Amino acid sequence: MKKFTKTILASTLAATMLMTSGTGAFAATAVKPVPTVAAEAAKKPQAKKFESRLDEIIARGYILVGTPGDYKPFTYLNPKTNEFEGYDIDAMKEFAKSLGVEARFVQTSWPTLMDDLLANKFDIAVGGVTRNTDRQKKAHMSDPYIMFGKAPLIRAVDKDKYKSVADINKPEVRIGVNPGGTNEKFVREHLTKATVTVEQNNLDIPGLVASGKYDVMITDTLEALVYSKADSRLYAALTDNPFTKSEKAYMIHRGDTIFANYLDLWMDEMKLQGKFDELYNKWVK
């Protein structure tokens, strides 16, 4: 009986030790850290955060400038060189120089200008952008740098024919206009009786007026002057007394006061040093 009891006790002790050993091995395995998504993400280098887009631009070494490339004298994508040129192109090269970075130009369009800016395709939008409250609701419009108004570009032989909105706002008057900008907005609001055709390429319209396909192109006084100077068949009407009065500005993302303050200070310096006057003499006169 004693022998039997000892055997039972020995078996029980052995089983207990085996279970304890197994549990210990399992416990050692169980406490091993299991990688998580958060833990793995923590190992990856995080993108550096900047207080302002200004700091980000300086750190990356270049500024992305969005521009349509079809609005002389401010922006023009020259097909011969495949390079942008114009008043605002030169201005942005100066702006980049002030930042110590390179200016890289990104082509956009007037219908997509705002959406492309908000989608972060570029840091600043330029190219004859009109300063208005509609754009200010979604972005930040800088201080103005030049004044202008809406005026008709017509054929020189018709210079005594179109002197007012009433003269143009007739069914027999054919108007060519580029889409998505303030030119089209003016035409849709004030010339509802005229025959309006939207031309996708703004650069084509002056030639189509000169050749007789259209009678009028409603555009900025500055653009009208440039095209009339380049083509004797054209006449920039009412540039001294345009239909509207507006100003050009540069457009950036809203909410970044550091970048906005720098841009406005740079513009003040450009005016003070006569740099904007130099650009006007080069591209408009």
Side-chain angles (χ1 to χ4, degrees):
M1 184 67 178
K2 288 182 180 180
K3 185 177 181 180
F4 177 74
T5 302
K6 288 180 180 181
T7 301
I8 293 297
L9 289 172
S11 298
T12 301
L13 179 61
T16 302
M17 291 177 66
L18 182 61
M19 290 176 65
T20 304
S21 175
T23 303
F26 177 75
T29 302
V31 297
K32 185 178 180 180
V34 178
T36 64
V37 174
E40 289 301 307
K43 294 179 183 178
K44 296 180 181 180
Q46 298 297 308
K48 188 175 181 179
K49 294 184 178 180
F50 297 94
E51 185 179 3
S52 165
R53 186 176 292 266
L54 175 69
D55 304 318
E56 181 182 349
I57 291 167
I58 293 172
R60 82 164 88 104
Y62 60 87
I63 181 170
L64 295 173
V65 181
T67 190
D70 67 347
Y71 215 62
K72 293 181 178 181
F74 298 101
T75 175
Y76 173 57
L77 182 58
N78 192 325
K80 294 180 181 179
T81 62
N82 200 35
E83 297 285 341
F84 287 97
E85 57 188 45
Y87 185 113
D88 281 344
I89 304 305
D90 283 357
M92 284 299 103
K93 289 177 181 178
E94 288 292 325
F95 185 49
K97 188 186 299 183
S98 79
L99 292 165
V101 301
E102 174 192 357
R104 296 185 183 180
F105 296 95
V106 179
Q107 188 166 23
T108 181
S109 69
W110 293 107
T112 64
L113 183 70
M114 180 64 75
D115 289 341
D116 287 347
L117 175 72
L118 298 181
N120 282 313
K121 292 184 179 180
F122 36 80
D123 303 301
I124 187 169
V126 310
V129 181
T130 300
R131 193 170 188 253
N132 58 38
T133 52
D134 285 342
R135 286 178 170 140
Q136 183 71 13
K137 291 173 185 175
K138 296 181 179 179
H140 172 77
M141 302 302 299
S142 73
D143 285 346
Y145 61 91
I146 196 168
M147 292 183 65
F148 72 99
K150 295 301 179 189
L153 178 68
I154 60 178
R155 286 182 293 278
V157 295
D158 294 332
K159 66 179 183 179
D160 294 323
K161 189 175 182 180
Y162 303 114
K163 295 183 176 181
S164 66
V165 169
D167 291 340
I168 300 171
N169 194 27
K170 299 175 181 178
E172 63 269 24
V173 178
R174 300 160 300 168
I175 298 177
V177 67
N178 62 305
T182 55
N183 290 341
E184 184 183 17
K185 182 178 180 181
F186 178 88
V187 169
R188 300 297 185 191
E189 289 180 356
H190 301 284
L191 301 172
T192 56
K193 295 178 182 178
T195 301
V196 178
T197 302
V198 174
E199 289 284 346
Q200 293 302 316
N201 190 346
N202 186 64
L203 295 170
D204 293 338
I205 304 175
L208 294 173
V209 172
S211 66
K213 180 177 179 179
Y214 301 122
D215 302 305
V216 176
M217 175 188 185
I218 296 296
T219 185
D220 298 345
T221 50
L222 302 167
E223 186 181 35
L225 288 168
V226 167
Y227 280 115
S228 64
K229 184 173 67 173
D231 190 333
S232 61
R233 297 174 297 171
L234 295 172
Y235 177 70
L238 304 175
T239 54
D240 292 332
N241 186 29
F243 298 142
T244 64
K245 291 183 179 179
S246 299
E247 295 171 312
K248 298 295 185 186
Y250 301 127
M251 189 164 70
I252 62 175
H253 299 80
R254 68 179 183 180
D256 190 341
T257 56
I258 295 174
F259 189 31
N261 289 340
Y262 182 89
L263 175 59
D264 288 339
L265 177 59
W266 169 79
M267 294 179 73
D268 287 342
E269 285 294 312
M270 287 284 285
K271 294 170 187 174
L272 186 64
Q273 302 304 325
K275 296 293 186 180
F276 279 131
D277 290 336
E278 291 177 13
L279 293 177
Y280 183 87
N281 292 334
K282 177 181 178 179
W283 292 104
V284 181
K285 277 191 173 181

